[in-house]
Amino acid sequence: MTKVHLRLSLLFVATLALSGCASFTGDGGMSLVEDMTAARLGQQATALRSEDDAADAASRVKTLLAKPLTADTAVQIALLNNRDLQAAYNALGVAEARRVRASLPANPVVSLSRVSGGGGGGAFEIERQVAVNILSLATLPVRADIATDRFQQAQLQAVAETLRVAIETRQAWVQAVSARALANFLVQSQSSAEAAADLSKRLGESGAINKLDQARNQVFYAELTAQLGTARKRVETTKETLTRALGLWGDDLNFRLPSDLTALPSRPRVMATIEAQAVKQRIDLEIARLELAALSKSYGLSGATRFINLLEVAGISNKKQEAEGDAVTERGLGVEFQIPIFDLGEANVRESEQAYRQAVNRLIAKAVAVRSEARAAYHEYRAAYDIARHYQREVLPLRKIISD
């Protein structure tokens, strides 16, 4: 092979490899996360990529905390300030870097050596070698495609983490506000019970009521006092849970909550297609689908490379300097590969096949679980609504009568 032919071959290989190289996205993969989050939550997910972004987020959090905290405001603060969520966005950036790296061919290896002849005759030999991994170039498109699937998985995982933080924050807000409302109600009830107990004691001293009625009033007051202590403890516990979800500390802990929850809807939601919606919208199910697709492509890659584990083509230029002063240049082509004598690649194929079947079974199992979880969640929602409506219409009016 002449020097010109060698250069043209290497140039052709490099052009072929670089044609499929991926590049970094301008937003670090956050566009899909932002779109899906906005569609499901009505709020924007924000990745803090610099100190300026962090300072701007801190300023927005301060502004939101200046007013009593609503459920929507709490979710907005969590999306800006929850550091676990920001770590999930960092993981998305790592996945993007791996995708770009997987689309790049292996760097060529340049080898230079100089060997001098013995005996002081002045003869020496210079050998130059450029080695390119042909197998890596051949499998580059498939590996890049798999890395793209992994990147899409990371995007969906970031979406799932965003939704998880938002849901847990809203639940923590509801629990914190309801705990405060219950504690306030028990304070009023305890005050009335204390007055009733004091009155029954005075009436008992005058003989107007018997000791049994006195004891009942005293027990009622004592039980309310114990319930109030438990309620106050729950107020602190639920507030700390909400604080962790919001990512707050220091002076920001003095945020204000409303005194009561929003009004109960006049009628419950009817979801006849809850299973279909869950299968269509569950993020973890979509992640499992992408995992199956990536393993399917990996299985094909294992089958294609089962016999050749390493194949390198090296362009060799060897220059010899004879003792008499004449220089001789030798050029050629070297090939290096492993011979499958012991490991025929069967183990790799079997492993990939079983991993693929495992992913299929897990996807089916997850789809079944998603349907069941959706039904269970809706039944729990309806039961909670019916119980709340019963308390609103029956129990609370009766307790008010007793308290009066």
Side-chain angles (χ1 to χ4, degrees):
M1 177 181 289
T2 65
K3 188 175 181 180
V4 175
H5 289 165
L6 178 61
R7 289 180 177 177
L8 290 176
S9 299
L10 293 177
L11 181 61
F12 171 74
V13 170
T15 303
L16 178 64
L18 294 175
S19 62
C21 295
S23 60
F24 287 96
T25 58
D27 57 0
M30 282 296 296
S31 58
L32 177 65
V33 180
E34 293 171 356
D35 293 342
M36 296 186 70
T37 300
R40 286 167 168 79
L41 300 177
Q43 302 205 34
Q44 190 74 25
T46 303
L48 307 182
R49 302 298 191 189
S50 64
E51 294 296 331
D52 292 338
D53 292 343
D56 182 64
S59 177
R60 293 170 61 187
V61 168
K62 291 285 187 183
T63 302
L64 294 172
L65 290 175
K67 300 178 181 180
L69 206 62
T70 65
D72 292 336
T73 303
V75 172
Q76 189 174 359
I77 292 175
L79 295 184
L80 288 170
N81 205 50
N82 188 292
R83 294 300 171 168
D84 284 334
L85 181 58
Q86 293 301 319
Y89 297 156
N90 296 140
L92 177 58
V94 171
E96 183 184 33
R98 290 174 177 172
R99 176 182 67 90
V100 174
R101 183 172 58 195
S103 69
L104 299 175
N107 293 325
V109 179
V110 179
S111 176
L112 299 174
S113 61
R114 182 180 186 275
V115 181
S116 299
F124 63 90
E125 178 180 338
I126 298 177
E127 183 178 44
R128 294 163 292 181
Q129 177 174 314
V130 179
V132 180
N133 194 319
I134 301 299
L135 179 61
S136 175
L137 295 178
T139 59
L140 181 62
V142 178
R143 289 187 289 108
D145 199 14
I146 293 174
T148 299
D149 288 341
R150 298 298 187 194
F151 176 61
Q152 292 176 354
Q153 277 186 305
Q155 286 181 304
L156 292 177
Q157 287 169 351
V159 174
E161 185 66 14
T162 304
L163 297 179
R164 183 192 66 81
V165 169
I167 292 171
E168 290 183 357
T169 301
R170 187 176 292 274
Q171 290 175 343
W173 181 88
V174 171
Q175 292 172 357
V177 175
S178 62
R180 285 171 54 87
L182 178 60
N184 292 335
F185 177 77
L186 290 177
V187 167
Q188 299 174 6
S189 299
Q190 186 199 35
S191 177
S192 300
E194 182 181 12
D198 183 65
L199 178 61
S200 65
K201 180 179 179 181
R202 294 182 182 182
L203 292 175
E205 292 174 352
S206 66
I209 62 174
N210 55 37
K211 292 186 177 296
L212 178 61
D213 291 333
Q214 293 182 57
R216 285 173 177 169
N217 288 328
Q218 290 292 337
V219 167
F220 181 66
Y221 171 65
E223 289 178 346
L224 280 179
T225 301
Q227 292 177 16
L228 178 59
T230 302
R232 284 173 173 169
K233 182 181 72 173
R234 188 170 180 270
V235 167
E236 296 301 324
T237 302
T238 54
K239 184 179 179 182
E240 290 300 331
T241 302
L242 177 59
T243 299
R244 289 193 296 272
L246 297 176
L248 301 178
W249 62 285
D251 296 336
D252 293 334
L253 297 179
N254 299 321
F255 60 87
R256 293 174 293 164
L257 291 172
S259 58
D260 205 350
L261 293 171
T262 56
L264 194 68
S266 59
R267 62 184 60 185
R269 295 181 181 178
V270 178
M271 298 182 180
T273 60
I274 184 67
E275 292 183 42
Q277 292 181 25
V279 171
K280 182 179 180 181
Q281 298 182 8
R282 280 283 291 262
I283 302 298
D284 55 348
L285 200 58
E286 185 61 29
I287 293 174
R289 291 193 187 102
L290 286 175
E291 177 68 18
L292 183 62
L295 286 176
S296 176
K297 295 170 185 176
S298 177
Y299 177 42
L301 179 62
S302 297
T305 61
R306 59 184 299 190
F307 293 116
I308 302 177
N309 301 110
L310 178 63
L311 177 61
E312 289 187 349
V313 173
I316 301 173
S317 175
N318 189 11
K319 182 176 182 181
K320 293 182 179 180
Q321 180 71 38
E322 301 295 342
E324 293 79 7
D326 297 332
V328 179
T329 301
E330 300 175 347
R331 295 184 177 89
L333 185 67
V335 179
E336 178 183 350
F337 60 92
Q338 292 180 2
I339 302 175
I341 297 177
F342 304 105
D343 184 4
L344 300 179
E346 185 68 23
N348 290 337
V349 174
R350 289 290 183 91
E351 180 183 358
S352 299
E353 182 180 3
Q354 292 304 314
Y356 175 75
R357 294 183 182 277
Q358 181 186 51
V360 171
N361 288 324
R362 285 180 174 173
L363 177 60
I364 296 174
K366 183 174 287 293
V368 174
V370 163
R371 291 176 177 271
S372 175
E373 290 170 2
R375 293 192 302 269
Y378 181 71
H379 292 324
E380 185 176 354
Y381 158 75
R382 279 304 309 265
Y385 180 89
D386 294 339
I387 292 172
R389 177 63 71 184
H390 175 70
Y391 266 84
Q392 186 180 60
R393 292 180 175 179
E394 304 292 337
V395 178
L396 289 180
L398 292 175
R399 283 192 175 275
K400 187 177 185 304
I401 293 173
I402 294 173
S403 176
D404 293 340

